[in-house]
């Protein structure tokens, strides 16, 4: 129980720090993101790259802390983090915001669910009318994400007998 209280206080500190630094709502950090995700996408122009990167850090740490001490599902926070990461990538030349959002959501969905077809479908359905047009980007992100994860994961060290 003391660990859960400490984690809760740390998450509250992250939310307060995010709000103080950016002026954005603390609900972006505190809640699962199910209700906040549509507003994040609709108000994408109000978020600078720095705000989005800080949101990624704060939401990611709050997400990890919540998974260790509180109940709740892992899917919507990962979709929210993916959308914020995609929005940050959309500031790169040639990538529209909705394309970055689609790639981020798809990559994080397959990273969390480990179900590529479901991740493509979930992302496309979530994006509504834009989902069909963005299907190639979603598929590429959903394919690249697990391959990159496998390549970046260190191999386990085998114990040698002496």
């Amino acid at each position: 129980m003391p660990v859960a209280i400490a984690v809760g206080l740390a998450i509250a500190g992250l939310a307060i720090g995010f709000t103080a630094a950016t002026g954005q709502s603390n609900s972006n950090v505190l809640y699962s993101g199910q209700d906040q995700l549509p507003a994040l996408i609709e108000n994408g122009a109000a978020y600078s790259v720095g705000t989005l990167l800080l949101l990624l850090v704060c939401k990611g740490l709050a997400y990890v802390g919540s998974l260790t001490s509180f109940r709740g599902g892992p899917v919507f926070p990962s979709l929210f983090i993916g959308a914020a990461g995609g929005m940050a990538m959309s500031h790169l030349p040639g990538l529209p915001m909705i394309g970055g959002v689609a790639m981020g959501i798809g990559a994080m969905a397959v990273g969390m669910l480990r179900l590529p077809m479901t991740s493509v479908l979930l992302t496309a359905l979530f994006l509504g009318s834009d989902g069909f047009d963005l299907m190639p980007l979603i598929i590429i992100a959903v394919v690249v994400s697990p391959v990159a994860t496998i390549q970046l994961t260190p191999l386990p060290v085998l114990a040698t007998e002496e």
Side-chain angles (χ1 to χ4, degrees):
M1 189 61 144
V3 173
I5 293 170
V7 169
L9 290 172
I11 292 171
L14 287 169
I16 292 168
F18 175 75
T19 300
T22 64
Q24 299 290 338
S25 173
N26 62 7
S27 64
N28 288 330
V29 176
L30 288 178
Y31 303 112
S32 71
Q34 180 178 356
D35 296 329
Q36 292 76 24
L37 185 53
L40 177 73
I41 295 170
E42 288 172 7
N43 302 322
Y47 292 87
S48 67
V49 176
T51 300
L52 290 168
L53 293 177
L54 185 61
L55 178 60
L56 281 172
V57 170
C58 291
K59 182 71 169 183
L61 291 172
Y63 178 43
V64 169
S66 295
L67 285 175
T68 62
S69 298
F70 301 106
R71 62 182 202 112
V75 176
F76 280 107
S78 67
L79 297 181
F80 187 89
I81 291 170
M87 287 174 66
M89 285 190 320
S90 73
H91 289 277
L92 296 172
L95 183 62
M97 189 197 68
I98 195 67
V101 167
M103 292 170 61
I105 291 175
M108 286 298 287
V110 75
M112 182 51 64
L113 297 174
R114 306 278 190 224
L115 301 168
M117 294 298 291
T118 302
S119 299
V120 170
L121 180 64
L122 178 68
T123 304
L125 289 175
F126 181 77
L127 294 175
S129 62
D130 292 325
F132 183 75
D133 295 335
L134 295 169
M135 192 67 72
L137 285 177
I138 296 168
I139 292 171
I140 290 171
V142 165
V143 169
V144 168
S145 178
V147 172
T149 301
I150 291 169
Q151 291 297 317
L152 294 173
T153 303
L155 295 173
V157 178
L158 300 175
T160 58
E161 293 184 35
E162 292 184 37

